Amino acid sequence: MAGYKLPDRLNNQYLKPEITSSWETGLSIQTFKNRLGLDITYYDNVSRNQIINIPVSSALGYDSKVINAGKINNKGIEVTLNATPIRSNGFEALISATVVKTEDFKWVSSLNGSYNDNKVISLAPGVNTFQLSNSIATLVAREGQPYGQILGYDFVYAADGQKVIKADGTYERAQQLTSMGSVLPKFLFGFQNSFTYKNF
């Protein structure tokens, strides 16, 4: 016997495409015959009309609906320092008992780091928090805070700063969810080396 069931999610025929606008500026410096360089970039990105699933009352016959909501800002700075410690400079180096001319060998090293400031500017009208997931901790997007806030229950502390222990020997848990930071890192660092010998 054929059957039909309504989907759990209510679609939206009036959805708009998500739009991201950005601008950046930078400075590049090379010195010592291009053997030492510094690149600095500042960027500012704004994403609008993000497509999000939000929970709705089951009285509507659906668990969630799709809407355009949200305005998220990402801005930060990226810095890269690169150097060429060894490049053809006329002398010879002994490697594994074999004399190798440095005109055939090149070593390039780079160090980079970035800082990103992420903030949820706005969500849907009348809503300031979206739950993104819920397992051991709750993951949310909340207005005025970085995207992907981790919420969890902290311990209850006594006046001397010690955790309160219940009669059964376990720690007492607070009743309110507490922000424990964001899943997005503010700082990223990287270190890379590249070695070239002739065409290898």
Side-chain angles (χ1 to χ4, degrees), residues 69-84:
K71 180 180 178 182
I72 296 180
N73 177 238
N74 281 283
K75 57 185 176 182
I77 188 169
E78 298 177 353
V79 179
T80 300
L81 177 66
N82 54 73
T84 307

Side-chain angles (χ1 to χ4, degrees), residues 105-134:
F105 179 72
K106 184 178 180 181
W107 171 22
V108 178
S109 182
S110 65
L111 175 68
N112 61 72
S114 64
Y115 168 81
N116 182 67
D117 183 21
N118 172 280
K119 183 178 289 186
V120 178
I121 305 300
S122 63
L123 294 171
V127 178
N128 61 10
T129 301
F130 277 149
Q131 181 173 301
L132 303 173
S133 69
N134 186 10

Side-chain angles (χ1 to χ4, degrees), residues 61-109:
Y62 299 93
D63 295 331
S64 63
K65 68 177 180 179
V66 184
I67 65 169
N68 281 117
K71 180 180 178 182
I72 296 180
N73 177 238
N74 281 283
K75 57 185 176 182
I77 188 169
E78 298 177 353
V79 179
T80 300
L81 177 66
N82 54 73
T84 307
I86 296 179
R87 191 173 61 186
S88 60
N89 53 11
F91 68 88
E92 297 179 343
L94 186 65
I95 301 176
S96 299
T98 303
V99 175
V100 179
K101 293 183 178 180
T102 56
E103 63 187 23
D104 295 327
F105 179 72
K106 184 178 180 181
W107 171 22
V108 178
S109 182

Side-chain angles (χ1 to χ4, degrees), residues 146-167:
Y147 182 85
Q149 284 290 302
I150 303 171
L151 302 182
Y153 292 99
D154 197 0
F155 298 107
V156 174
Y157 297 91
D160 60 357
Q162 298 296 315
K163 298 171 185 171
V164 175
I165 301 177
K166 298 188 294 185

